[in-house]
């Protein structure tokens, strides 16, 4: 993967590769030298083959360089959301047993304790102001490095996705998964020589880390880099850019900027949305304000990108409300619960097969087997249909999952934490519509006999334990949860009851 990206660097290595929102400029030569130095540092640690490098740091160009250096050195990158707190990190580090952990200096105390307990030998720090022990150590290493060869089937990254029941699963992605997907997207999205990407997404998930970074680098394209999404700043820099990628919340927030108009978007070639459903209202309003039709695509940590609306009009129209066609080389089909084919246009479970599909869940062969059909198709857990023209539409999910601002929240996980609080008998977390985040979690809780519960206090308790985006936006204490005749909590009734909460 790294060799392919490196081969795409432009001939003029002194031209700008990344310009940050704070005015720093990194040349292609900087990218080459810095990844060499970090790769040399990692190699000097004499880690076993296949070692995981777990990273929980704020977004910075150096954090991206660490990712690229990990590929370059032939190790396995394990990105972690900066919102994760100690119990979450303890699980990921305990499960993945990384050889190296990189964290912020602010978190070094508690993260290193967790890492050393899990047997990790090397803990480095990396801050978003180009300081920390990782860079200090790398500075002593050579800026030349032979890329360590990797086979298509070799692991390149492990991306944790929250588990529908119980614990998170680490999706094992190979160099072949990532490179084949990046090459397909380069052609399908029509990347051209002078493209400039605005990078405003976090870099600990597939969207910002793989789709955006690989897209720009594999095309030798400059990135305008935002450490944190800032709608005003992005609209201000838009006249210099040609490609933007975002989750729907980013589009909603940019639409609230008066400066967003056709003139701001005059050089833009392509706006891409994904990770969560894009409302048709957002799609239409964007077109009216900027003259551009957003291209919506569909992906998963386990499969990287699997479908996309067309870029080239000769391949068809970009249809709002759909996620387009299966990407070239990727098979997508819809199956009934019993595994049988469904007629064209009918709803069923979306399944996928292709070079983009991951190798399995880390240390969970059983789970891996469960998620694949006997004939080798991966069950996405999304529910949808494919029309006679081939457009895929996602209509829902069979997995109990809330997607909030592009982040996944698994109700089972949050309910587990709520149920452990004193006085709680049981709980249900449901997703309700939200104008900014698309969907947010709302908790409904019952008390143990004699216990007095307060919804706000429950929310406050959870804030100390869980990543912020998983925290329910509201919590209601009720007498009992509605159940069907089988005794199962009827989440659809709860969702219905609270759907106007943020309207
Ligand atoms: C922040 N908050 C949230 C979220 N983000 N609440 C619900 N959902 C969220 N996503 C809450 C915080 O807890 C806090 O609450 C308050 O909002 C402000 O926090 P702050 O950090 O300032 O928020 P922000 O910086 O404005 O972040 C919003 C965001 C961010 C920019 C939309 O969530 C984001 O970057 N989302 C993108 C996620 C993404 O990249 N997903 C791709 C996954 P309080 O004040 O109460 O503490 S990859 C994927 O899904 C697949 C593969 C695919 O297809 O791409
Ligand atoms: P993750 O586990 O973060 O990889 O999230 C993957 C999930 O995000 C998919 O299974 C879908 O449910 C959802 N998703 C991604 N892209 C879209 C989209 N364009 N529209 C609706 N849902 C999407």
């Amino acid at each position: 993967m790294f060799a392919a990206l490196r081969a795409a660097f432009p001939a003029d290595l002194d031209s700008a590769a990344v310009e940050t929102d704070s005015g720093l400029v990194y040349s292609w030569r900087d990218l080459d030298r810095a990844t060499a130095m970090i790769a040399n540092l990692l190699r000097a640690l004499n880690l076993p083959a296949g070692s995981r490098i777990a990273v929980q740091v704020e977004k910075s160009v150096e954090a991206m360089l660490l990712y690229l250096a990990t590929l370059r050195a032939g190790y396995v990158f394990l990105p972690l959301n900066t919102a994760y707190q100690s119990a979450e990190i303890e699980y990921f580090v305990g499960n993945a047993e990384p050889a190296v952990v990189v964290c912020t200096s602010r978190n070094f105390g508690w993260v290193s304790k967790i890492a050393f307990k899990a047997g990790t030998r090397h803990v480095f720090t990396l801050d978003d102001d180009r300081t920390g022990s990782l860079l200090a150590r790398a500075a002593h290493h050579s800026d030349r490095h032979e890329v360590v060869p990797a086979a298509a089937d070799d692991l390149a990254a492990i991306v944790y996705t929250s588990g529908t029941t119980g614990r998170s699963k680490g999706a094992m992605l190979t160099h072949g998964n990532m490179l084949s997907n990046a090459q397909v997207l380069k052609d399908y999205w029509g990347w051209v020589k002078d493209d400039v990407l605005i990078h405003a997404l976090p870099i600990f998930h597939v969207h910002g880390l793989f789709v955006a970074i690989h897209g720009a680098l594999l095309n030798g394209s400059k990135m305008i880099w935002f450490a944190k999404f800032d709608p005003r700043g992005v609209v201000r820099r838009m006249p210099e850019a040609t490609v933007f990628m975002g989750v729907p919340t980013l589009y909603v927030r940019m639409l609230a900027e008066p400066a967003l108009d056709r003139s701001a978007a005059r050089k833009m070639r392509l706006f891409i949305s994904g990770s969560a459903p894009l409302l048709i209202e957002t799609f239409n309003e964007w077109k009216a304000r900027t003259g551009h039709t957003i291209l919506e695509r569909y992906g998963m940590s386990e499969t990287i990108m699997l479908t996309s609306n067309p870029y080239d009009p000769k391949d068809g129209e970009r249809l709002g409300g759909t996620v387009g066609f299966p990407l070239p080389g990727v098979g997508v089909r819809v199956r009934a619960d019993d595994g049988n084919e469904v007629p064209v246009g009918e709803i069923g479970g979306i399944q996928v097969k292709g070079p983009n599909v991951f190798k399995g869940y880390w240390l969970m062969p059983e789970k891996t087997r469960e998620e694949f059909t006997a004939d080798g198709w991966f069950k996405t857990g999304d529910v949808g249909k494919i029309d006679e023209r081939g457009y895929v539409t996602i209509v829902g999910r069979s997995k109990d999952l809330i997607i909030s601002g592009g982040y996944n929240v698994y109700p089972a996980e949050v309910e587990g934490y709520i149920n452990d609080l004193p006085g709680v008998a049981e709980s249900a977390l449901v997703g309700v519509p939200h104008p900014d985040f698309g969907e947010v979690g709302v908790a409904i809780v019952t008390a143990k006999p004699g216990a007095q519960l307060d919804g706000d206090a429950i929310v406050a308790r959870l804030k100390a334990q869980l990543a912020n985006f998983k925290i329910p936006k509201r919590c209601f204490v009720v007498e009992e949860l509605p159940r069907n005749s089988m005794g199962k909590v009827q989440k659809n009734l709860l969702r219905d009851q609270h759907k106007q909460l943020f309207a």
Side-chain angles (χ1 to χ4, degrees):
M1 185 70 216
F2 182 84
L5 299 176
R6 176 65 188 83
F9 282 17
D12 179 7
L13 285 180
D14 292 315
S15 59
V18 185
E19 270 179 39
T20 71
D21 51 347
S22 57
L24 291 174
V25 180
Y26 296 73
S27 68
W28 294 94
R29 192 183 306 282
D30 293 333
L31 264 47
D32 189 38
R33 292 182 54 222
T35 54
M37 292 161 91
I38 302 173
N40 280 324
L41 164 63
L42 295 175
R43 294 302 299 185
L45 301 174
N46 288 319
L47 311 173
S51 286
R52 279 76 59 207
I53 316 292
V55 178
Q56 190 198 30
V57 298
E58 297 298 332
K59 182 178 178 183
S60 68
V61 176
E62 288 68 27
M64 173 185 77
L65 295 172
L66 171 57
Y67 162 60
L68 296 172
T70 303
L71 294 179
R72 185 170 187 155
Y75 297 120
V76 180
F77 194 70
L78 197 170
L80 293 166
N81 194 319
T82 45
Y84 293 147
Q85 304 213 35
S86 57
E88 291 155 313
I89 295 296
E90 194 166 0
Y91 171 73
F92 296 126
V93 169
N95 186 248
E97 299 185 333
V100 176
V101 169
V102 183
C103 63
T104 61
S105 51
R106 184 165 48 90
N107 292 345
F108 181 79
W110 64 268
V111 173
S112 60
K113 207 181 270 170
I114 289 172
F116 293 138
K117 202 174 120 202
T120 301
R121 303 248 318 269
H122 310 277
V123 182
F124 294 104
T125 58
L126 175 63
D127 291 321
D128 55 2
D129 58 355
R130 292 173 291 143
T131 62
S133 60
L134 181 89
L135 299 179
R137 288 281 298 277
H140 298 290
H141 287 269
S142 163
D143 62 358
R144 285 167 181 269
H145 173 269
E146 274 299 305
V147 179
V148 174
D153 197 42
D154 286 345
L155 274 198
I158 296 181
V159 182
Y160 275 87
T161 74
S162 300
T164 32
T165 53
R167 309 318 306 244
S168 286
K169 298 168 286 186
M172 298 189 284
L173 292 164
T174 64
H175 284 258
N177 294 146
M178 304 207 306
L179 184 55
S180 66
N181 208 244
Q183 281 165 337
V184 164
L185 294 176
K186 176 170 152 61
D187 289 342
Y188 200 69
W189 290 344
W191 283 86
V192 289
K193 187 171 157 287
D194 290 321
D195 270 332
V196 175
L197 172 80
I198 292 187
H199 194 303
L201 286 163
I203 56 168
F204 33 65
H205 291 301
V206 164
H207 198 165
L209 184 63
F210 301 153
V211 190
I213 291 176
H214 295 166
L217 295 186
L218 197 59
N219 195 53
S221 281
K222 184 173 91 175
M223 286 186 261
I224 298 178
W225 183 268
F226 284 82
K228 198 173 179 323
F229 173 63
D230 156 25
R232 187 155 306 163
V234 170
V235 173
R236 199 179 311 123
R237 300 294 300 265
M238 204 176 272
E240 301 162 56
T242 62
V243 183
F244 179 83
M245 298 184 193
V247 301
T249 300
L250 272 50
Y251 287 97
V252 169
R253 292 189 183 181
M254 286 193 286
L255 280 168
E257 289 300 321
L260 179 79
D261 58 14
R262 281 173 189 254
S263 163
R266 64 189 174 271
K267 254 187 81 181
M268 288 295 299
R269 183 175 70 73
L270 183 57
F271 289 99
I272 300 171
S273 175
S275 309
L278 180 73
L279 290 180
I280 195 76
E281 292 79 13
T282 312
F283 176 87
N284 289 335
E285 205 184 330
W286 194 266
K287 194 166 182 176
R289 283 277 288 284
T290 67
H292 285 273
T293 308
I294 296 176
L295 176 156
E296 186 171 4
R297 90 317 177 264
Y298 161 40
M300 271 188 93
S301 302
E302 291 91 333
T303 68
I304 323 182
M305 296 299 103
L306 56 138
T307 76
S308 172
N309 266 283
Y311 170 68
D312 191 332
K314 82 170 175 3
D315 293 329
E317 186 191 351
R318 283 178 218 162
L319 277 188
T322 81
V323 291
F325 306 117
L327 283 166
V330 177
V332 176
R333 69 183 194 185
V334 172
R335 283 289 185 270
D337 285 347
D338 57 10
N340 287 328
E341 245 177 90
V342 300
V344 172
E346 300 273 313
I347 288 169
I350 300 177
Q351 302 182 352
V352 54
K353 195 176 203 172
N356 55 316
V357 176
F358 74 133
K359 205 170 168 168
Y361 294 113
W362 174 255
L363 300 182
M364 293 185 186
E366 287 288 307
K367 285 265 176 247
T368 305
R369 259 191 305 278
E370 278 168 26
E371 303 302 329
F372 281 86
T373 64
D375 56 347
W377 291 69
F378 174 64
K379 299 184 251 178
T380 62
D382 293 307
V383 174
K385 57 186 180 182
I386 306 180
D387 73 9
E388 65 290 345
R389 293 164 301 174
Y391 284 95
V392 178
T393 304
I394 301 173
V395 300
R397 301 169 201 130
S398 59
K399 50 194 175 194
D400 190 10
L401 163 70
I402 299 167
I403 303 185
S404 189
Y407 287 138
N408 290 1
V409 181
Y410 278 90
E413 184 192 10
V414 181
E415 290 160 4
Y417 278 86
I418 301 177
N419 297 345
D420 283 345
L421 294 176
V424 172
E426 56 175 358
S427 63
L429 188 81
V430 295
V432 302
H434 189 274
D436 184 30
F437 294 121
E439 198 178 16
V440 294
V442 169
I444 297 95
V445 176
T446 65
K448 282 187 178 146
Q452 286 290 329
L453 291 178
D454 171 60
D456 292 342
I458 290 176
V459 170
R461 292 288 293 269
L462 292 174
K463 278 190 178 177
Q465 294 179 285
L466 275 172
N468 60 12
F469 61 88
K470 298 179 190 170
I471 307 298
K473 296 286 180 223
R474 294 286 297 277
C475 176
F476 299 100
V477 180
V478 299
E479 285 296 312
E480 60 183 336
L481 297 176
R483 291 183 185 278
N484 64 16
S485 54
M486 309 287 290
K488 200 169 169 289
V489 175
Q490 290 173 297
K491 288 198 166 177
N492 53 331
L493 294 185
L494 294 171
R495 259 190 297 270
D496 234 35
Q497 197 182 337
H498 294 289
K499 69 178 181 214
Q500 293 296 330
L501 209 52
F502 302 99

